[in-house]
Amino acid sequence: MEQFVKINNDKKQETTKLRISSVSVRGIFDFGAVSHPTVRAELAFGMSKRANPENGFGPARPAAFNRLVAEINKTHIISLLELEPEDIGDLADQCGSYYDSAKGIINETINQIKIARGEPEARRRIGARYNGASVYTTYQNIKQSWLRELVGRWATFRYNTSGNSTLYLQAQQTAMVEFAEWCEQKSVRSPEDLTRGLLLDWLGHVNSLQNPRTGKHLSASWRLKLVSAVESFVEVLRSEFNYPIPTNARYRPGELPQREEPRPRFLEPHIIDALRKPENLALIENRAHRLAVRIMMGTGIRAGHTCNLPFDCLKDLNRNGSSDKWALAFLDTKSNSNRMLPLPPDLAQDILSFQNEQRTLLGGDAPEFLFFSPRAYKIGRLTVERLNTTIHEWVARLGLRETDGSPAVVTPHRFRHTFATENLEKGVPIEIVQELLGHRNLTSTQIYAHVSNKRLREEWEKAQLLDVRGESIAISDGPEGDAEWLLHRIARATQALPNGYCGLPIQQSCPHEHACLNDCVHFMTSRDFLPVLIQQRDNHARLISKAEANGHLRIVQINKKPMETLNRIIGKIEEEGNAESQ
């Protein structure tokens, strides 16, 4: 051991650029210092359990362990099982900077002893979160022994037979803990007491619950979670375990809380435009985090899938000399399918550059994940929690605000909502957007389409539309307005112009290509196109100036009319803009 310690203390790792600490052992786990043999055996048993990766423990630090031993010796206890929760907190406090490690060692050791002894209140690990943190059972907190045993059987059945996430299964157990507390007041003593009347009383209780922080009633989604967990529990007891529960002890159609219709929370244009600016993206110092944000904004994939991207996720689709065809390959865990999404060329190049940088830092080797993170010792990659923190700090630094003046709330899922909304507003067919998002049915995508259409119409009605003479176009009310809006949407999707819209009905074709600015009665534009209009006006002015200098009068004549039209439209837009600002 002494030789091992010396070798590792002297060893230096050439990995500082990846922020990997050099491997070192600064001491040993001094079990011999534990004064009582029972406590020594308990600690040895608890620490040995850390060798099993299925238990989900992180590495223990010798310094933390030895400091904890010194504090335990002062208490003169003969077993860790004597410690109450407040005693454990006091011991951890005495360990100073090792507080978290010391508390974890004691709690996990005590829990492992309880599991070995078969004690029902021991919590058991059922899986992990995205960041690798363990997810544990919660049903052991139920006070009634008969109900705790039944919920434990039900939880095991659900874990073995359902495809739900461990977090969802944990939430269902937590709902059953709340139900058990409520049952104490109802004198429920056995499975036979789980009647339809009791289920209806529980439904009424849940519907009356309020959020202690806001004082408002719980959302339908939360109420449904509390009720559906109990419904599943009763049904499994009756159908799988053959308990004598009344056959009518179930909820009927229409009685369960109905979920609210999902409402996409896309980012307002001024917010997403600010976030996309290179100078603002550069404020995210960690390049991996910055690239992850760009991927989410550019493809609409979920944060979990982004963090879990394999290192070889970039696929080159270029053929015959092209350089702009790239795709992102990943495993969609929601549909359990391998998917491939098109990538903007600049984003693909950024990923390629990042991959090359990672290979160089690792001595030519490629890690398993694109966002490999040696600090995340349990899963070895960037976590959703860390990514959320980065985005929160970044947005706070930018000081962005919503339209109502409140601080902007930006989450990875809002990037996804924005991606969907923007594509629909550009006229991308809804079936393509469905495929881009990975929705299994069109209903989910139609939510975005409904919100997108509503928002676009509100903006259209507020916007000042101008014709080719620079005069305002009045928008009708009622059914006529609805028809005009449909014509406008069709025109945007099928006859888009760089500087405005074509109001020509879809059934007709334009006989005058590129003649919109020559008094075409179907042409219309708005303030949204001001930059393009100014650029076109300046281009015409340069052409005229050059043609006049060279004596090309025909070119002057061709460009003069569109330039006059553009000057008239631009002047009207700027005039209205100045009036609004005043």
Side-chain angles (χ1 to χ4, degrees):
M1 176 59 75
E2 290 178 355
Q3 284 184 326
F4 178 76
V5 170
K6 184 178 186 308
I7 291 171
N8 282 278
N9 275 334
D10 295 340
K11 188 176 181 180
K12 300 296 182 182
Q13 298 278 334
E14 297 298 329
T15 51
T16 54
K17 290 183 180 180
L18 280 178
R19 300 181 181 179
I20 303 176
S21 301
S22 59
V23 176
S24 64
V25 178
R26 305 187 183 283
I28 61 173
F29 297 101
D30 192 1
F31 289 97
V34 185
S35 59
H36 197 281
T38 301
V39 176
R40 185 185 312 130
E42 289 172 341
L43 286 172
F45 175 73
M47 296 301 290
S48 70
K49 288 297 181 179
R50 290 181 176 267
N52 184 354
E54 292 183 1
N55 290 328
F57 300 134
R61 303 167 65 185
F65 176 84
N66 296 333
R67 176 66 181 274
L68 174 62
V69 167
E71 298 302 327
I72 289 176
N73 287 339
K74 295 177 183 178
T75 66
H76 304 294
I77 60 173
I78 62 173
S79 171
L80 294 177
L81 299 178
E82 295 179 24
L83 297 173
E84 298 293 335
E86 55 270 20
D87 300 326
I88 296 173
D90 292 340
L91 271 174
D93 283 333
Q94 296 303 316
C95 294
S97 60
Y98 299 124
Y99 174 87
D100 290 331
S101 296
K103 189 174 181 180
I105 290 172
I106 298 177
N107 282 329
E108 295 304 338
T109 297
I110 292 174
N111 192 64
Q112 289 299 318
I113 293 171
K114 289 181 177 179
I115 292 175
R117 290 167 54 154
E119 296 187 12
E121 65 270 19
R123 64 175 188 166
R124 288 165 171 77
R125 186 176 184 269
I126 58 176
R129 300 172 182 267
Y130 272 126
N131 64 353
S134 295
V135 178
Y136 294 96
T137 58
T138 58
Y139 66 83
Q140 67 274 359
N141 298 320
I142 295 176
K143 296 179 181 179
Q144 305 95 310
S145 58
W146 71 271
L147 188 53
R148 181 175 60 242
E149 180 185 351
L150 291 180
V151 173
R153 290 190 65 189
W154 165 76
T156 302
F157 174 82
R158 294 281 291 141
Y159 182 75
N160 291 332
T161 60
S162 76
N164 299 115
S165 69
T166 52
L167 283 177
Y168 175 79
L169 295 174
Q170 185 189 56
Q172 284 212 316
Q173 293 177 42
T174 302
M176 288 305 302
V177 174
E178 292 191 39
F179 176 70
E181 292 175 356
W182 177 79
C183 283
E184 278 192 292
Q185 307 166 14
K186 296 291 181 179
S187 300
V188 179
R189 298 288 180 264
S190 68
E192 289 83 351
D193 294 331
L194 300 174
T195 63
R196 173 167 165 77
L198 184 74
L199 293 184
L200 291 177
D201 286 348
W202 170 244
L203 176 61
H205 170 72
V206 169
N207 285 333
S208 68
L209 292 176
Q210 294 181 334
N211 185 321
R213 185 174 57 85
T214 63
K216 298 180 179 179
H217 285 290
L218 297 182
S219 67
S221 296
W222 276 110
R223 288 184 280 123
L224 182 60
K225 289 177 183 178
L226 291 172
V227 175
S228 62
V230 175
E231 182 185 41
S232 167
F233 170 69
V234 172
E235 184 59 35
V236 169
L237 290 188
R238 179 173 45 231
S239 62
E240 299 295 334
F241 300 150
N242 299 318
Y243 279 89
I245 296 175
T247 56
N248 69 336
R250 53 169 51 97
Y251 293 111
R252 294 170 183 166
E255 290 181 342
L256 292 178
Q258 300 299 309
R259 293 181 185 272
E260 303 95 339
E261 182 178 326
R263 291 175 294 176
R265 295 194 63 212
F266 53 80
L267 295 168
E268 294 294 335
H270 72 279
I271 294 178
I272 190 64
D273 289 345
L275 296 178
R276 285 172 175 152
K277 289 182 178 179
E279 60 270 25
N280 289 339
L281 280 167
L283 296 178
I284 303 177
E285 296 179 3
N286 188 301
R287 186 177 179 189
H289 297 182
R290 183 166 64 249
L291 178 58
V293 168
R294 287 200 64 205
I295 288 173
M296 290 188 295
M297 288 196 294
T299 64
I301 73 171
R302 297 177 176 88
H305 296 152
T306 301
C307 292
N308 207 36
L309 284 172
F311 187 79
D312 61 347
C313 60
L314 185 64
K315 303 301 178 185
D316 188 350
L317 307 180
N318 289 291
R319 300 289 186 275
N320 301 323
S322 66
S323 60
D324 59 351
K325 294 181 176 63
W326 300 87
L328 187 74
F330 65 100
L331 173 64
D332 188 333
T333 53
K334 288 207 86 173
S335 61
N336 195 29
S337 62
N338 290 305
R339 298 183 54 219
M340 200 173 291
L341 296 177
L343 275 176
D346 61 324
L347 181 53
Q349 292 301 320
D350 201 5
I351 295 175
L352 188 61
S353 172
F354 182 76
Q355 288 173 326
N356 292 334
E357 181 182 289
Q358 291 290 83
R359 284 196 187 93
T360 301
L361 290 173
L362 292 171
D365 296 329
E368 180 182 357
F369 301 105
L370 178 65
F371 299 117
F372 160 72
S373 175
R375 288 186 170 184
Y377 57 83
K378 289 186 179 180
I379 56 176
R381 56 170 172 75
L382 174 64
T383 66
V384 174
E385 290 80 2
R386 186 68 190 90
L387 191 52
N388 274 322
T389 300
T390 294
I391 293 173
H392 176 76
E393 293 173 349
W394 176 46
V395 173
R397 187 176 179 184
L398 291 173
L400 299 176
R401 302 233 163 222
E402 305 281 358
T403 51
D404 61 3
S406 62
V409 178
V410 180
T411 64
H413 220 64
R414 292 194 75 180
F415 289 142
R416 182 172 171 83
H417 291 179
T418 305
F419 175 82
T421 304
E422 287 183 336
N423 273 280
L424 287 166
E425 290 179 356
K426 291 175 184 176
V428 177
I430 191 170
E431 295 83 3
I432 301 299
V433 176
Q434 175 191 1
E435 191 169 343
L436 290 172
L437 296 177
H439 287 159
R440 279 176 280 193
N441 57 71
L442 196 59
T443 306
S444 301
T445 319
Q446 284 171 337
I447 298 168
Y448 296 100
H450 174 73
V451 173
S452 171
N453 185 65
K454 182 179 179 182
R455 187 179 80 149
L456 278 177
R457 178 158 185 179
E458 288 174 352
E459 292 180 355
W460 178 67
E461 290 175 345
K462 288 188 297 184
Q464 180 199 27
L465 290 176
L466 304 176
D467 61 17
V468 75
R469 295 180 295 277
E471 297 177 1
S472 297
I473 301 173
I475 300 173
S476 305
D477 295 325
E480 290 84 359
D482 294 339
E484 284 190 28
W485 167 242
L486 289 175
L487 283 172
H488 174 74
R489 287 289 280 153
I490 292 171
R492 285 184 67 149
T494 60
Q495 301 183 110
L497 303 172
N499 54 358
Y501 313 113
C502 176
L504 190 69
I506 188 64
Q507 295 87 351
Q508 299 181 28
S509 58
C510 178
H512 306 294
E513 223 176 311
H514 309 302
C516 301
L517 296 174
N518 288 322
D519 291 333
C520 178
V521 296
H522 299 293
F523 176 78
M524 60 184 75
T525 191
S526 67
R527 186 184 305 171
D528 295 339
F529 297 96
L530 184 58
V532 176
L533 295 168
I534 292 175
Q535 182 181 7
Q536 287 185 333
R537 188 265 314 272
D538 293 344
N539 288 340
H540 282 293
R542 281 192 291 272
L543 284 171
I544 290 173
S545 177
K546 186 176 180 179
E548 286 179 337
N550 295 326
H552 299 157
L553 300 182
R554 178 58 180 163
I555 294 178
V556 173
Q557 182 181 9
I558 291 173
N559 286 277
K560 191 171 184 180
K561 179 66 175 179
M563 191 179 74
E564 291 175 350
T565 300
L566 287 164
N567 276 326
R568 187 164 55 247
I569 294 172
I570 292 168
K572 185 68 174 179
I573 292 174
E574 292 176 341
E575 178 185 332
E576 292 293 332
N578 293 333
E580 285 184 12
S581 62
Q582 293 174 0

